[in-house]
Amino acid sequence: MQLWQEMEQEGMEELLFCHDPGSGLKAVIAIHSTALGPALGGCRCWTYASEEAAICDAIQLAKGMTYKSAVSGLPYGGGKAVVWNIPTAWKVSTSPTQPKSQASSSFPFKNVVDSDSSPHQFTVPSTNTGRAHIFRALGRFLERLNGRYITGLDLGTTSTDMDQIRLETAYVTV
């Protein structure tokens, strides 16, 4: 992947790579546009086949959020946070009949691991402190953006995750 070329082609303003060794956080925050206001978009926690797949997903989702906000007449731009490499015990579980490494042909991103149409369920109770540390670390990265990006719930995250982010920043939806 040629990052600069991809950013230019997709009209991206900013890609922020977030790494917090203490918690294990690995994330990317993609800001597509802030022309109409702060970037708004959910925080996705997903199992990706590669870091490149996670970055591509963040870019495409952020761009989509820009269009959603504009079409809806909202005073926001588009952004997306993508968290990956959550330790195995904290990942979303998939159907036991299909291996996690098998990419779904129905999912639009070829390198994203999906369990086809089977439901995803969290295997971690909301009190898991390791997961809490990851989302608090993400909250600290969001705070450094000073409101340029506001996050919220998305695929693979819970209201408890958003509560952890809120402990570090106000830039998260309820």
Side-chain angles (χ1 to χ4, degrees), residues 49-65:
S50 67
E51 292 175 355
E52 182 177 325
I55 295 163
C56 287
D57 200 20
I59 289 170
Q60 293 303 311
L61 293 166
K63 186 175 180 180
M65 289 306 299

Side-chain angles (χ1 to χ4, degrees), residues 69-86:
S69 292
V71 165
S72 301
L74 298 174
Y76 297 102
K80 187 63 83 169
V82 168
V83 178
W84 76 94
N85 282 346
I86 297 282

Side-chain angles (χ1 to χ4, degrees), residues 45-48 88 90-104 112-123 155:
C45 183
W46 196 245
T47 303
Y48 291 91
T88 305
W90 306 331
K91 287 184 182 176
V92 174
S93 66
T94 59
S95 169
T97 60
Q98 181 179 15
K100 281 189 170 193
S101 61
Q102 182 177 346
S104 167
V112 178
V113 176
D114 190 314
S115 66
D116 207 28
S117 61
S118 62
H120 300 282
Q121 297 183 11
F122 291 97
T123 58
L155 186 66

Side-chain angles (χ1 to χ4, degrees), residues 7 10 16 23 36 44 46 51 69 74 76 89 92 109 125 130 140-141 152 154 157 174:
M7 286 182 69
E10 299 299 336
L16 175 66
S23 68
L36 297 177
R44 180 165 289 194
W46 196 245
E51 292 175 355
S69 292
L74 298 174
Y76 297 102
V92 174
F109 300 99
R140 290 189 293 274
F141 280 100
D154 195 63
T157 57
V174 179

